[in-house]
């Protein structure tokens, strides 16, 4: 990231932000799920990254089911990051002695760090077919799944098996 930004990412006027995506079941029921997209600042002490004060929900994807694609939502978020690629003007202020307020105006540079997601959410972000699909379930390989025991399995992790590759 350092070389891709020309060293700007390590500036004291820059921050790296991470996105997190997950689905929750608010009613203790698998019949209804809500998607959440949150942002957090990655520039804080690693022990504080997961603290409530450092995480903010930026999108709620209403249920009862996850949408077929979250591409329109991700496009909006990406366009916001692109809009901020040249930074935004910020004025930092702090109290001084004798009631005098000091301030500094600077251009705050914003960078996207990582997108955190579990397997089902990652499939949505990558426009995958979902973790139980015959083809396109795995974002790391091009194998077709095998129907086994009422579910789709991807074989060959413990012992080698002949694979059928997905024909794109």
């Amino acid at each position: 990231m350092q070389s891709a930004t020309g060293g700007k990412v390590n500036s004291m006027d820059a921050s790296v932000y991470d996105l997190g995506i997950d689905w929750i079941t608010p009613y203790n029921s698998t019949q209804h799920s809500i998607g959440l997209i949150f942002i957090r600042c990655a520039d804080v002490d690693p022990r504080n990254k997961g603290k409530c004060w450092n995480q903010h929900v930026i999108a709620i994807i209403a249920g009862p089911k996850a949408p077929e694609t979250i591409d329109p939502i991700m496009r909006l978020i990406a366009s916001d990051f692109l809009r901020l690629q040249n930074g935004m003007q910020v004025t930092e202020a702090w109290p001084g002695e004798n009631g005098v307020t000091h301030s500094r105006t600077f251009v705050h540079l914003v960078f996207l760090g990582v997108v955190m997601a579990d397997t089902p959410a990652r499939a949505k972000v990558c426009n995958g077919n979902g973790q139980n699909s015959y083809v396109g379930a795995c974002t790391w390989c091009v194998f077709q799944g095998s129907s086994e025991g009422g579910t789709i399995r991807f074989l060959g992790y413990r012992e080698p098996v002949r694979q059928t590759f997905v024909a794109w």
Side-chain angles (χ1 to χ4, degrees):
M1 193 174 225
Q2 174 75 354
S3 61
T5 63
K8 294 178 184 177
V9 74
N10 286 338
S11 162
M12 92 175 202
D13 295 338
S15 287
V16 177
Y17 294 91
D18 296 336
L19 290 178
I21 302 168
D22 204 357
W23 266 260
I24 62 169
T25 53
Y27 307 116
N28 292 328
S29 165
T30 58
Q31 301 300 314
H32 192 100
S33 64
I34 296 173
L36 298 175
I37 301 177
F38 67 90
I39 192 168
R40 73 176 188 186
C41 183
D43 298 342
V44 299
D45 184 305
R47 294 172 292 188
N48 292 325
K49 284 186 180 182
K51 301 274 174 89
C52 290
W53 55 263
N54 191 42
Q55 300 184 48
H56 302 282
V57 174
I58 59 172
I60 298 174
I61 304 166
K65 299 279 184 206
E68 289 294 318
T69 179
I70 61 169
D71 192 51
I73 298 162
M74 295 307 293
R75 284 183 186 274
L76 286 172
I77 294 168
S79 71
D80 284 342
F81 270 97
L82 287 172
R83 188 171 45 86
L84 293 170
Q85 70 183 348
N86 294 321
M88 62 182 170
Q89 188 169 323
V90 174
T91 300
E92 175 183 34
W94 62 94
E97 293 181 22
N98 301 325
V100 176
T101 301
H102 300 282
S103 65
R104 176 178 82 97
T105 300
F106 61 97
V107 175
H108 179 67
L109 300 173
V110 176
F111 297 99
L112 176 61
V114 298
V115 177
M116 302 168 290
D118 60 6
T119 301
R122 187 174 59 238
K124 288 285 185 197
V125 171
C126 298
N127 287 323
N129 292 335
Q131 66 192 41
N132 211 22
S133 298
Y134 182 64
V135 293
C138 178
T139 55
W140 308 107
C141 63
V142 291
F143 299 144
Q144 288 184 355
S146 301
S147 180
E148 186 178 289
T151 190
I152 303 298
R153 303 266 185 221
F154 292 88
L155 307 176
Y157 292 103
R158 285 187 289 206
E159 45 190 70
V161 297
R162 181 179 284 291
Q163 297 288 347
T164 303
F165 291 93
V166 176
W168 301 105

